[in-house]
Amino acid sequence: MFEQFKNGLLYTAIGKYSNVVVQLLVNVILSRILSPQEFGIVATVTIFLVFFQLLADIGIGPSIIQNKDLKRSEINSIFGFSLYLSFALAIIFVFLGYPLSWYFDNEVFIPISRVLAICLFFYGVLVVPQALLLREKNFRLVNFTTVGSALIQGIVSILFAFAGFSYYAIILGNTAKALTLFIVFYIKTGTKMNFKLDWAPLKKIYSFSKNQFLFNFINYFSRNLDTFLIGGTISQSALGYYDKAYQVSLYPNQVLTSLITSVIHPIMSDYENEKDKIKQVYLRLSNILATIGLPLSIFLFFSSREIILIFGPNWTESIPTLQILALSVWVQMILSSTGGVFQSGNRTDLLLLSGILSTILNILGIVTGILFGEIEYVALFLVIAFTLNFVQANYLLMVRMFQSSILEFVKVLIKPAVMAFMQFVVFFLLPEWDVHFLIALLIKGSVFASVWLIGLLITGEFKRIKAELKGNKQLVDK
């Protein structure tokens, strides 16, 4: 299993890190061309694109990965169903712009929805080929293709932005990415289109996909309600500032957590009946993520101003929101890994329950923040909701799934918490210099790295990690 993790992490790391770098550079360039209001419009319509992508998936992707008994002919039948479903959803999306234009009092959503319908179709039909590649653990092809498509997306978006296409630049870039992914995945997997519907393969994955889809469906609303309400009740500009801060707070997840979560389910699904092995892997991964995430949250809190200024001086209103959201970075990093663990243990019923609880807490937090009428309050109550979700998700994992104790999980957070406290003391005492923001960010980054390394040595985590890598061991607690 370690070799699979090592190979999976290697190619996923190359893909994820390259992808994040590309996205960050493109985002910085576009942020200096387009206005916060234009970004707000894209953020608004994107939440609906994501929702329709969720409907196009309906849990099919993870089900193909989990079910090792599916024959190639059955997968082709599922692909045929996915094709029809994606086309139907794209047709519906064409007309979505009319109710959106009424709700947000902006007719621009009508033509936007027509363009994004094409994007939606290709995102829908690539679900099966991509799942098939992950099932075969072909992380190399998946990640290299993802990086290539991100480059194409960035080039298209920047060229159209310079040409004056406004928010259409981002939308056309996203469409180019979806098309690229589908073409490569479809050709490389040799997936065939079975135009005759066969319900037998769908019934075969129904039990798993049902719970997975319901979780994704519920989780969607809890994760996107803030965007919908801010854009509709405060302003598109406020949504642009909020979305920028939120996206920046997600970068650690994209750089670190998604690297691990991308390989958890494809690899650990082979150990469905060995719950203790899955538990040990989860505890060790949680310890590693907390060792990075807790200190990083402190760094982001004290460096929010410098980070936001990278995107340009017109984004300064995002700084307070990022400071608040930074406190939840470590929570979200660990939470992001729980889904793959539930899936690996074939407990999508508990995943669904966790999703329902998360949705309730997130909605309460978002609505409470909206009532105050400021994006900072939305961020604050959302952080509180994330923290409560962190508790319930790990209770369901440790107590309900692993038949263990929540204290066993708490123990892996002790040393990372000590490292975070060290960061807080140093940054709290660190004076502010009147220098260019990039120089200030470089100084703070150097301080963070130095204190983090010292923390690794003091807590003994450096020796432990070195021994694991040298010994070629699994990521488990001994």
Side-chain angles (χ1 to χ4, degrees), residues 245-246 248-253 256-257 289 292-298 300-301 322-336 383 386-387:
Y246 193 87
V248 171
S249 74
L250 290 180
Y251 279 135
N253 257 330
L256 301 168
T257 314
L289 292 174
I292 301 171
L294 269 164
L296 185 60
S297 291
I298 303 301
L300 291 174
F301 177 84
L322 178 57
Q323 281 189 304
I324 298 169
L325 292 173
L327 301 176
S328 70
V329 165
W330 72 277
V331 170
Q332 295 196 68
M333 287 175 65
I334 298 178
L335 265 179
S336 296
V383 168
F386 286 157
T387 305

PDB file of all heavy atoms in Angstrom, residues 245-246 248-253 256-257 289 292-298 300-301 322-336 383 386-387:
ATOM      1  N   ALA A 245     -11.305  36.484  -0.868  1.00  0.00           N
ATOM      2  CA  ALA A 245     -10.764  36.048   0.417  1.00  0.00           C
ATOM      3  C   ALA A 245     -10.994  34.554   0.622  1.00  0.00           C
ATOM      4  O   ALA A 245     -10.105  33.830   1.096  1.00  0.00           O
ATOM      5  CB  ALA A 245     -11.401  36.846   1.556  1.00  0.00           C
ATOM      6  N   TYR A 246     -12.181  34.092   0.251  1.00  0.00           N
ATOM      7  CA  TYR A 246     -12.515  32.678   0.444  1.00  0.00           C
ATOM      8  C   TYR A 246     -11.637  31.790  -0.430  1.00  0.00           C
ATOM      9  O   TYR A 246     -11.151  30.743   0.018  1.00  0.00           O
ATOM     10  CB  TYR A 246     -13.992  32.454   0.113  1.00  0.00           C
ATOM     11  CG  TYR A 246     -14.522  31.116   0.575  1.00  0.00           C
ATOM     12  CD1 TYR A 246     -15.027  30.962   1.857  1.00  0.00           C
ATOM     13  CD2 TYR A 246     -14.513  30.015  -0.262  1.00  0.00           C
ATOM     14  CE1 TYR A 246     -15.503  29.745   2.302  1.00  0.00           C
ATOM     15  CE2 TYR A 246     -14.988  28.782   0.157  1.00  0.00           C
ATOM     16  CZ  TYR A 246     -15.483  28.658   1.444  1.00  0.00           C
ATOM     17  OH  TYR A 246     -15.938  27.432   1.874  1.00  0.00           O
ATOM     18  N   VAL A 248      -8.649  32.456  -1.588  1.00  0.00           N
ATOM     19  CA  VAL A 248      -7.282  32.463  -1.056  1.00  0.00           C
ATOM     20  C   VAL A 248      -7.179  31.524   0.139  1.00  0.00           C
ATOM     21  O   VAL A 248      -6.187  30.795   0.292  1.00  0.00           O
ATOM     22  CB  VAL A 248      -6.858  33.894  -0.647  1.00  0.00           C
ATOM     23  CG1 VAL A 248      -5.529  33.868   0.103  1.00  0.00           C
ATOM     24  CG2 VAL A 248      -6.739  34.775  -1.880  1.00  0.00           C
ATOM     25  N   SER A 249      -8.198  31.506   0.988  1.00  0.00           N
ATOM     26  CA  SER A 249      -8.184  30.622   2.160  1.00  0.00           C
ATOM     27  C   SER A 249      -8.238  29.152   1.764  1.00  0.00           C
ATOM     28  O   SER A 249      -7.881  28.279   2.562  1.00  0.00           O
ATOM     29  CB  SER A 249      -9.358  30.955   3.095  1.00  0.00           C
ATOM     30  OG  SER A 249     -10.594  30.510   2.564  1.00  0.00           O
ATOM     31  N   LEU A 250      -8.669  28.874   0.537  1.00  0.00           N
ATOM     32  CA  LEU A 250      -8.751  27.491   0.067  1.00  0.00           C
ATOM     33  C   LEU A 250      -7.437  27.005  -0.560  1.00  0.00           C
ATOM     34  O   LEU A 250      -7.277  25.806  -0.791  1.00  0.00           O
ATOM     35  CB  LEU A 250      -9.869  27.344  -0.962  1.00  0.00           C
ATOM     36  CG  LEU A 250     -11.310  27.452  -0.452  1.00  0.00           C
ATOM     37  CD1 LEU A 250     -12.285  27.288  -1.609  1.00  0.00           C
ATOM     38  CD2 LEU A 250     -11.596  26.419   0.631  1.00  0.00           C
ATOM     39  N   TYR A 251      -6.514  27.917  -0.836  1.00  0.00           N
ATOM     40  CA  TYR A 251      -5.260  27.517  -1.483  1.00  0.00           C
ATOM     41  C   TYR A 251      -4.492  26.451  -0.701  1.00  0.00           C
ATOM     42  O   TYR A 251      -3.960  25.506  -1.305  1.00  0.00           O
ATOM     43  CB  TYR A 251      -4.365  28.737  -1.731  1.00  0.00           C
ATOM     44  CG  TYR A 251      -4.752  29.523  -2.964  1.00  0.00           C
ATOM     45  CD1 TYR A 251      -4.833  30.905  -2.949  1.00  0.00           C
ATOM     46  CD2 TYR A 251      -5.034  28.880  -4.162  1.00  0.00           C
ATOM     47  CE1 TYR A 251      -5.205  31.626  -4.083  1.00  0.00           C
ATOM     48  CE2 TYR A 251      -5.402  29.587  -5.303  1.00  0.00           C
ATOM     49  CZ  TYR A 251      -5.480  30.961  -5.253  1.00  0.00           C
ATOM     50  OH  TYR A 251      -5.845  31.661  -6.374  1.00  0.00           O
ATOM     51  N   PRO A 252      -4.396  26.557   0.644  1.00  0.00           N
ATOM     52  CA  PRO A 252      -3.713  25.482   1.384  1.00  0.00           C
ATOM     53  C   PRO A 252      -4.360  24.118   1.144  1.00  0.00           C
ATOM     54  O   PRO A 252      -3.656  23.099   1.071  1.00  0.00           O
ATOM     55  CB  PRO A 252      -3.858  25.919   2.848  1.00  0.00           C
ATOM     56  CG  PRO A 252      -3.947  27.403   2.780  1.00  0.00           C
ATOM     57  CD  PRO A 252      -4.748  27.676   1.534  1.00  0.00           C
ATOM     58  N   ASN A 253      -5.699  24.095   1.029  1.00  0.00           N
ATOM     59  CA  ASN A 253      -6.379  22.842   0.731  1.00  0.00           C
ATOM     60  C   ASN A 253      -5.992  22.324  -0.641  1.00  0.00           C
ATOM     61  O   ASN A 253      -5.768  21.129  -0.847  1.00  0.00           O
ATOM     62  CB  ASN A 253      -7.901  23.046   0.793  1.00  0.00           C
ATOM     63  CG  ASN A 253      -8.501  22.485   2.070  1.00  0.00           C
ATOM     64  OD1 ASN A 253      -7.990  21.524   2.629  1.00  0.00           O
ATOM     65  ND2 ASN A 253      -9.580  23.070   2.527  1.00  0.00           N
ATOM     66  N   LEU A 256      -2.163  21.262  -0.391  1.00  0.00           N
ATOM     67  CA  LEU A 256      -1.781  20.194   0.531  1.00  0.00           C
ATOM     68  C   LEU A 256      -2.817  19.087   0.639  1.00  0.00           C
ATOM     69  O   LEU A 256      -2.561  17.934   0.311  1.00  0.00           O
ATOM     70  CB  LEU A 256      -1.513  20.798   1.919  1.00  0.00           C
ATOM     71  CG  LEU A 256      -0.401  21.868   1.957  1.00  0.00           C
ATOM     72  CD1 LEU A 256      -0.425  22.601   3.286  1.00  0.00           C
ATOM     73  CD2 LEU A 256       0.950  21.229   1.725  1.00  0.00           C
ATOM     74  N   THR A 257      -4.034  19.441   1.094  1.00  0.00           N
ATOM     75  CA  THR A 257      -5.022  18.414   1.389  1.00  0.00           C
ATOM     76  C   THR A 257      -5.480  17.675   0.149  1.00  0.00           C
ATOM     77  O   THR A 257      -5.600  16.444   0.161  1.00  0.00           O
ATOM     78  CB  THR A 257      -6.242  19.034   2.094  1.00  0.00           C
ATOM     79  OG1 THR A 257      -5.779  19.909   3.118  1.00  0.00           O
ATOM     80  CG2 THR A 257      -7.110  17.964   2.708  1.00  0.00           C
ATOM     81  N   LEU A 289      -1.461  16.824   8.466  1.00  0.00           N
ATOM     82  CA  LEU A 289      -2.199  18.008   8.022  1.00  0.00           C
ATOM     83  C   LEU A 289      -2.275  19.064   9.122  1.00  0.00           C
ATOM     84  O   LEU A 289      -2.182  20.261   8.856  1.00  0.00           O
ATOM     85  CB  LEU A 289      -3.603  17.606   7.575  1.00  0.00           C
ATOM     86  CG  LEU A 289      -3.681  16.754   6.306  1.00  0.00           C
ATOM     87  CD1 LEU A 289      -5.111  16.305   6.044  1.00  0.00           C
ATOM     88  CD2 LEU A 289      -3.147  17.528   5.101  1.00  0.00           C
ATOM     89  N   ILE A 292       1.015  20.950   9.583  1.00  0.00           N
ATOM     90  CA  ILE A 292       1.172  22.026   8.596  1.00  0.00           C
ATOM     91  C   ILE A 292       0.092  23.094   8.765  1.00  0.00           C
ATOM     92  O   ILE A 292       0.366  24.294   8.770  1.00  0.00           O
ATOM     93  CB  ILE A 292       1.108  21.456   7.164  1.00  0.00           C
ATOM     94  CG1 ILE A 292       2.203  20.419   6.954  1.00  0.00           C
ATOM     95  CG2 ILE A 292       1.229  22.576   6.122  1.00  0.00           C
ATOM     96  CD1 ILE A 292       2.089  19.654   5.647  1.00  0.00           C
ATOM     97  N   GLY A 293      -1.173  22.641   8.920  1.00  0.00           N
ATOM     98  CA  GLY A 293      -2.310  23.550   8.895  1.00  0.00           C
ATOM     99  C   GLY A 293      -2.448  24.484  10.075  1.00  0.00           C
ATOM    100  O   GLY A 293      -2.770  25.672   9.902  1.00  0.00           O
ATOM    101  N   LEU A 294      -2.233  23.997  11.283  1.00  0.00           N
ATOM    102  CA  LEU A 294      -2.391  24.858  12.468  1.00  0.00           C
ATOM    103  C   LEU A 294      -1.403  26.028  12.461  1.00  0.00           C
ATOM    104  O   LEU A 294      -1.811  27.185  12.606  1.00  0.00           O
ATOM    105  CB  LEU A 294      -2.253  24.020  13.739  1.00  0.00           C
ATOM    106  CG  LEU A 294      -3.567  23.448  14.291  1.00  0.00           C
ATOM    107  CD1 LEU A 294      -3.299  22.332  15.291  1.00  0.00           C
ATOM    108  CD2 LEU A 294      -4.392  24.550  14.930  1.00  0.00           C
ATOM    109  N   PRO A 295      -0.098  25.787  12.279  1.00  0.00           N
ATOM    110  CA  PRO A 295       0.831  26.916  12.188  1.00  0.00           C
ATOM    111  C   PRO A 295       0.533  27.822  10.990  1.00  0.00           C
ATOM    112  O   PRO A 295       0.676  29.047  11.065  1.00  0.00           O
ATOM    113  CB  PRO A 295       2.203  26.240  12.039  1.00  0.00           C
ATOM    114  CG  PRO A 295       2.019  24.886  12.637  1.00  0.00           C
ATOM    115  CD  PRO A 295       0.617  24.497  12.271  1.00  0.00           C
ATOM    116  N   LEU A 296       0.105  27.211   9.865  1.00  0.00           N
ATOM    117  CA  LEU A 296      -0.180  27.988   8.662  1.00  0.00           C
ATOM    118  C   LEU A 296      -1.352  28.934   8.871  1.00  0.00           C
ATOM    119  O   LEU A 296      -1.363  30.060   8.337  1.00  0.00           O
ATOM    120  CB  LEU A 296      -0.465  27.044   7.496  1.00  0.00           C
ATOM    121  CG  LEU A 296      -0.660  27.680   6.117  1.00  0.00           C
ATOM    122  CD1 LEU A 296       0.586  28.443   5.698  1.00  0.00           C
ATOM    123  CD2 LEU A 296      -0.996  26.610   5.081  1.00  0.00           C
ATOM    124  N   SER A 297      -2.352  28.518   9.630  1.00  0.00           N
ATOM    125  CA  SER A 297      -3.494  29.381   9.927  1.00  0.00           C
ATOM    126  C   SER A 297      -3.047  30.656  10.640  1.00  0.00           C
ATOM    127  O   SER A 297      -3.546  31.756  10.351  1.00  0.00           O
ATOM    128  CB  SER A 297      -4.508  28.633  10.803  1.00  0.00           C
ATOM    129  OG  SER A 297      -5.135  27.596  10.087  1.00  0.00           O
ATOM    130  N   ILE A 298      -2.120  30.504  11.561  1.00  0.00           N
ATOM    131  CA  ILE A 298      -1.585  31.671  12.289  1.00  0.00           C
ATOM    132  C   ILE A 298      -0.835  32.592  11.331  1.00  0.00           C
ATOM    133  O   ILE A 298      -0.995  33.825  11.367  1.00  0.00           O
ATOM    134  CB  ILE A 298      -0.663  31.216  13.429  1.00  0.00           C
ATOM    135  CG1 ILE A 298      -1.398  30.286  14.396  1.00  0.00           C
ATOM    136  CG2 ILE A 298      -0.112  32.431  14.181  1.00  0.00           C
ATOM    137  CD1 ILE A 298      -2.622  30.892  15.045  1.00  0.00           C
ATOM    138  N   LEU A 300      -1.246  32.932   8.062  1.00  0.00           N
ATOM    139  CA  LEU A 300      -2.187  33.596   7.162  1.00  0.00           C
ATOM    140  C   LEU A 300      -2.940  34.722   7.860  1.00  0.00           C
ATOM    141  O   LEU A 300      -3.235  35.754   7.261  1.00  0.00           O
ATOM    142  CB  LEU A 300      -3.179  32.574   6.589  1.00  0.00           C
ATOM    143  CG  LEU A 300      -2.607  31.542   5.612  1.00  0.00           C
ATOM    144  CD1 LEU A 300      -3.668  30.518   5.237  1.00  0.00           C
ATOM    145  CD2 LEU A 300      -2.064  32.228   4.372  1.00  0.00           C
ATOM    146  N   PHE A 301      -3.248  34.533   9.134  1.00  0.00           N
ATOM    147  CA  PHE A 301      -3.945  35.574   9.892  1.00  0.00           C
ATOM    148  C   PHE A 301      -3.099  36.844   9.968  1.00  0.00           C
ATOM    149  O   PHE A 301      -3.604  37.956   9.762  1.00  0.00           O
ATOM    150  CB  PHE A 301      -4.261  35.070  11.303  1.00  0.00           C
ATOM    151  CG  PHE A 301      -4.912  36.097  12.180  1.00  0.00           C
ATOM    152  CD1 PHE A 301      -6.281  36.309  12.126  1.00  0.00           C
ATOM    153  CD2 PHE A 301      -4.153  36.882  13.046  1.00  0.00           C
ATOM    154  CE1 PHE A 301      -6.893  37.276  12.935  1.00  0.00           C
ATOM    155  CE2 PHE A 301      -4.742  37.845  13.849  1.00  0.00           C
ATOM    156  CZ  PHE A 301      -6.117  38.033  13.792  1.00  0.00           C
ATOM    157  N   LEU A 322     -10.342  37.696   4.961  1.00  0.00           N
ATOM    158  CA  LEU A 322      -9.317  36.660   4.887  1.00  0.00           C
ATOM    159  C   LEU A 322      -8.736  36.370   6.269  1.00  0.00           C
ATOM    160  O   LEU A 322      -8.464  35.209   6.601  1.00  0.00           O
ATOM    161  CB  LEU A 322      -8.198  37.078   3.933  1.00  0.00           C
ATOM    162  CG  LEU A 322      -7.023  36.087   3.811  1.00  0.00           C
ATOM    163  CD1 LEU A 322      -7.526  34.713   3.366  1.00  0.00           C
ATOM    164  CD2 LEU A 322      -5.971  36.606   2.840  1.00  0.00           C
ATOM    165  N   GLN A 323      -8.552  37.399   7.081  1.00  0.00           N
ATOM    166  CA  GLN A 323      -8.030  37.185   8.432  1.00  0.00           C
ATOM    167  C   GLN A 323      -8.930  36.243   9.225  1.00  0.00           C
ATOM    168  O   GLN A 323      -8.453  35.355   9.940  1.00  0.00           O
ATOM    169  CB  GLN A 323      -7.919  38.518   9.174  1.00  0.00           C
ATOM    170  CG  GLN A 323      -6.701  39.335   8.792  1.00  0.00           C
ATOM    171  CD  GLN A 323      -6.522  40.536   9.698  1.00  0.00           C
ATOM    172  OE1 GLN A 323      -7.430  41.364   9.824  1.00  0.00           O
ATOM    173  NE2 GLN A 323      -5.381  40.650  10.338  1.00  0.00           N
ATOM    174  N   ILE A 324     -10.229  36.438   9.090  1.00  0.00           N
ATOM    175  CA  ILE A 324     -11.178  35.591   9.819  1.00  0.00           C
ATOM    176  C   ILE A 324     -11.168  34.172   9.265  1.00  0.00           C
ATOM    177  O   ILE A 324     -11.083  33.194  10.021  1.00  0.00           O
ATOM    178  CB  ILE A 324     -12.599  36.191   9.738  1.00  0.00           C
ATOM    179  CG1 ILE A 324     -12.629  37.568  10.409  1.00  0.00           C
ATOM    180  CG2 ILE A 324     -13.615  35.267  10.390  1.00  0.00           C
ATOM    181  CD1 ILE A 324     -13.905  38.352  10.168  1.00  0.00           C
ATOM    182  N   LEU A 325     -11.252  34.045   7.952  1.00  0.00           N
ATOM    183  CA  LEU A 325     -11.283  32.726   7.328  1.00  0.00           C
ATOM    184  C   LEU A 325      -9.985  31.953   7.541  1.00  0.00           C
ATOM    185  O   LEU A 325      -9.986  30.714   7.546  1.00  0.00           O
ATOM    186  CB  LEU A 325     -11.567  32.858   5.826  1.00  0.00           C
ATOM    187  CG  LEU A 325     -12.966  33.343   5.442  1.00  0.00           C
ATOM    188  CD1 LEU A 325     -13.049  33.580   3.939  1.00  0.00           C
ATOM    189  CD2 LEU A 325     -14.034  32.324   5.860  1.00  0.00           C
ATOM    190  N   ALA A 326      -8.880  32.673   7.725  1.00  0.00           N
ATOM    191  CA  ALA A 326      -7.587  32.022   7.936  1.00  0.00           C
ATOM    192  C   ALA A 326      -7.605  31.111   9.160  1.00  0.00           C
ATOM    193  O   ALA A 326      -6.915  30.083   9.201  1.00  0.00           O
ATOM    194  CB  ALA A 326      -6.491  33.070   8.092  1.00  0.00           C
ATOM    195  N   LEU A 327      -8.414  31.463  10.159  1.00  0.00           N
ATOM    196  CA  LEU A 327      -8.478  30.681  11.389  1.00  0.00           C
ATOM    197  C   LEU A 327      -9.086  29.296  11.162  1.00  0.00           C
ATOM    198  O   LEU A 327      -8.923  28.400  12.002  1.00  0.00           O
ATOM    199  CB  LEU A 327      -9.284  31.439  12.453  1.00  0.00           C
ATOM    200  CG  LEU A 327      -8.729  32.824  12.845  1.00  0.00           C
ATOM    201  CD1 LEU A 327      -9.662  33.499  13.829  1.00  0.00           C
ATOM    202  CD2 LEU A 327      -7.327  32.679  13.443  1.00  0.00           C
ATOM    203  N   SER A 328      -9.776  29.115  10.049  1.00  0.00           N
ATOM    204  CA  SER A 328     -10.419  27.822   9.772  1.00  0.00           C
ATOM    205  C   SER A 328      -9.636  26.975   8.778  1.00  0.00           C
ATOM    206  O   SER A 328     -10.078  25.875   8.426  1.00  0.00           O
ATOM    207  CB  SER A 328     -11.833  28.053   9.226  1.00  0.00           C
ATOM    208  OG  SER A 328     -11.783  28.603   7.912  1.00  0.00           O
ATOM    209  N   VAL A 329      -8.489  27.459   8.327  1.00  0.00           N
ATOM    210  CA  VAL A 329      -7.733  26.743   7.298  1.00  0.00           C
ATOM    211  C   VAL A 329      -7.378  25.326   7.742  1.00  0.00           C
ATOM    212  O   VAL A 329      -7.581  24.351   7.013  1.00  0.00           O
ATOM    213  CB  VAL A 329      -6.458  27.532   6.923  1.00  0.00           C
ATOM    214  CG1 VAL A 329      -5.491  26.654   6.135  1.00  0.00           C
ATOM    215  CG2 VAL A 329      -6.820  28.759   6.093  1.00  0.00           C
ATOM    216  N   TRP A 330      -6.852  25.190   8.962  1.00  0.00           N
ATOM    217  CA  TRP A 330      -6.441  23.859   9.433  1.00  0.00           C
ATOM    218  C   TRP A 330      -7.642  22.939   9.608  1.00  0.00           C
ATOM    219  O   TRP A 330      -7.556  21.739   9.343  1.00  0.00           O
ATOM    220  CB  TRP A 330      -5.666  23.987  10.744  1.00  0.00           C
ATOM    221  CG  TRP A 330      -6.516  24.360  11.934  1.00  0.00           C
ATOM    222  CD1 TRP A 330      -6.902  25.611  12.300  1.00  0.00           C
ATOM    223  CD2 TRP A 330      -7.072  23.458  12.894  1.00  0.00           C
ATOM    224  NE1 TRP A 330      -7.677  25.555  13.438  1.00  0.00           N
ATOM    225  CE2 TRP A 330      -7.788  24.254  13.835  1.00  0.00           C
ATOM    226  CE3 TRP A 330      -7.030  22.083  13.067  1.00  0.00           C
ATOM    227  CZ2 TRP A 330      -8.461  23.692  14.915  1.00  0.00           C
ATOM    228  CZ3 TRP A 330      -7.698  21.521  14.151  1.00  0.00           C
ATOM    229  CH2 TRP A 330      -8.404  22.319  15.058  1.00  0.00           C
ATOM    230  N   VAL A 331      -8.771  23.521  10.021  1.00  0.00           N
ATOM    231  CA  VAL A 331      -9.993  22.736  10.196  1.00  0.00           C
ATOM    232  C   VAL A 331     -10.446  22.178   8.851  1.00  0.00           C
ATOM    233  O   VAL A 331     -10.778  20.991   8.722  1.00  0.00           O
ATOM    234  CB  VAL A 331     -11.107  23.601  10.824  1.00  0.00           C
ATOM    235  CG1 VAL A 331     -12.450  22.866  10.780  1.00  0.00           C
ATOM    236  CG2 VAL A 331     -10.756  23.961  12.255  1.00  0.00           C
ATOM    237  N   GLN A 332     -10.450  23.038   7.835  1.00  0.00           N
ATOM    238  CA  GLN A 332     -10.905  22.608   6.512  1.00  0.00           C
ATOM    239  C   GLN A 332      -9.953  21.600   5.881  1.00  0.00           C
ATOM    240  O   GLN A 332     -10.383  20.715   5.121  1.00  0.00           O
ATOM    241  CB  GLN A 332     -11.062  23.823   5.600  1.00  0.00           C
ATOM    242  CG  GLN A 332     -12.164  24.784   6.052  1.00  0.00           C
ATOM    243  CD  GLN A 332     -12.549  25.759   4.949  1.00  0.00           C
ATOM    244  OE1 GLN A 332     -13.114  25.385   3.943  1.00  0.00           O
ATOM    245  NE2 GLN A 332     -12.228  27.023   5.141  1.00  0.00           N
ATOM    246  N   MET A 333      -8.670  21.733   6.188  1.00  0.00           N
ATOM    247  CA  MET A 333      -7.694  20.792   5.639  1.00  0.00           C
ATOM    248  C   MET A 333      -7.974  19.368   6.121  1.00  0.00           C
ATOM    249  O   MET A 333      -7.981  18.417   5.339  1.00  0.00           O
ATOM    250  CB  MET A 333      -6.272  21.218   6.029  1.00  0.00           C
ATOM    251  CG  MET A 333      -5.763  22.437   5.287  1.00  0.00           C
ATOM    252  SD  MET A 333      -4.142  23.005   5.859  1.00  0.00           S
ATOM    253  CE  MET A 333      -3.113  21.616   5.387  1.00  0.00           C
ATOM    254  N   ILE A 334      -8.228  19.219   7.416  1.00  0.00           N
ATOM    255  CA  ILE A 334      -8.499  17.886   7.960  1.00  0.00           C
ATOM    256  C   ILE A 334      -9.885  17.409   7.556  1.00  0.00           C
ATOM    257  O   ILE A 334     -10.078  16.239   7.214  1.00  0.00           O
ATOM    258  CB  ILE A 334      -8.340  17.892   9.497  1.00  0.00           C
ATOM    259  CG1 ILE A 334      -6.903  18.244   9.879  1.00  0.00           C
ATOM    260  CG2 ILE A 334      -8.726  16.532  10.083  1.00  0.00           C
ATOM    261  CD1 ILE A 334      -6.648  18.320  11.361  1.00  0.00           C
ATOM    262  N   LEU A 335     -10.861  18.315   7.577  1.00  0.00           N
ATOM    263  CA  LEU A 335     -12.222  17.946   7.185  1.00  0.00           C
ATOM    264  C   LEU A 335     -12.278  17.427   5.754  1.00  0.00           C
ATOM    265  O   LEU A 335     -13.046  16.512   5.444  1.00  0.00           O
ATOM    266  CB  LEU A 335     -13.153  19.159   7.320  1.00  0.00           C
ATOM    267  CG  LEU A 335     -13.957  19.316   8.611  1.00  0.00           C
ATOM    268  CD1 LEU A 335     -14.799  20.584   8.567  1.00  0.00           C
ATOM    269  CD2 LEU A 335     -14.832  18.097   8.875  1.00  0.00           C
ATOM    270  N   SER A 336     -11.459  18.004   4.889  1.00  0.00           N
ATOM    271  CA  SER A 336     -11.475  17.606   3.476  1.00  0.00           C
ATOM    272  C   SER A 336     -11.063  16.153   3.278  1.00  0.00           C
ATOM    273  O   SER A 336     -11.416  15.535   2.275  1.00  0.00           O
ATOM    274  CB  SER A 336     -10.547  18.514   2.660  1.00  0.00           C
ATOM    275  OG  SER A 336     -11.014  19.843   2.666  1.00  0.00           O
ATOM    276  N   VAL A 383     -16.829  30.319  10.136  1.00  0.00           N
ATOM    277  CA  VAL A 383     -15.700  29.693  10.821  1.00  0.00           C
ATOM    278  C   VAL A 383     -16.185  28.904  12.039  1.00  0.00           C
ATOM    279  O   VAL A 383     -15.717  27.791  12.312  1.00  0.00           O
ATOM    280  CB  VAL A 383     -14.664  30.747  11.248  1.00  0.00           C
ATOM    281  CG1 VAL A 383     -13.641  30.150  12.215  1.00  0.00           C
ATOM    282  CG2 VAL A 383     -13.944  31.308  10.029  1.00  0.00           C
ATOM    283  N   PHE A 386     -17.734  25.737  10.710  1.00  0.00           N
ATOM    284  CA  PHE A 386     -16.705  24.783  10.291  1.00  0.00           C
ATOM    285  C   PHE A 386     -16.123  24.041  11.495  1.00  0.00           C
ATOM    286  O   PHE A 386     -15.869  22.837  11.439  1.00  0.00           O
ATOM    287  CB  PHE A 386     -15.565  25.507   9.561  1.00  0.00           C
ATOM    288  CG  PHE A 386     -15.914  25.956   8.166  1.00  0.00           C
ATOM    289  CD1 PHE A 386     -15.224  26.994   7.567  1.00  0.00           C
ATOM    290  CD2 PHE A 386     -16.933  25.343   7.458  1.00  0.00           C
ATOM    291  CE1 PHE A 386     -15.523  27.412   6.282  1.00  0.00           C
ATOM    292  CE2 PHE A 386     -17.256  25.752   6.171  1.00  0.00           C
ATOM    293  CZ  PHE A 386     -16.543  26.787   5.579  1.00  0.00           C
ATOM    294  N   THR A 387     -15.899  24.770  12.575  1.00  0.00           N
ATOM    295  CA  THR A 387     -15.321  24.172  13.777  1.00  0.00           C
ATOM    296  C   THR A 387     -16.253  23.125  14.380  1.00  0.00           C
ATOM    297  O   THR A 387     -15.819  22.032  14.774  1.00  0.00           O
ATOM    298  CB  THR A 387     -15.015  25.258  14.820  1.00  0.00           C
ATOM    299  OG1 THR A 387     -14.178  26.266  14.229  1.00  0.00           O
ATOM    300  CG2 THR A 387     -14.303  24.666  16.032  1.00  0.00           C
TER     301      THR A 387
END
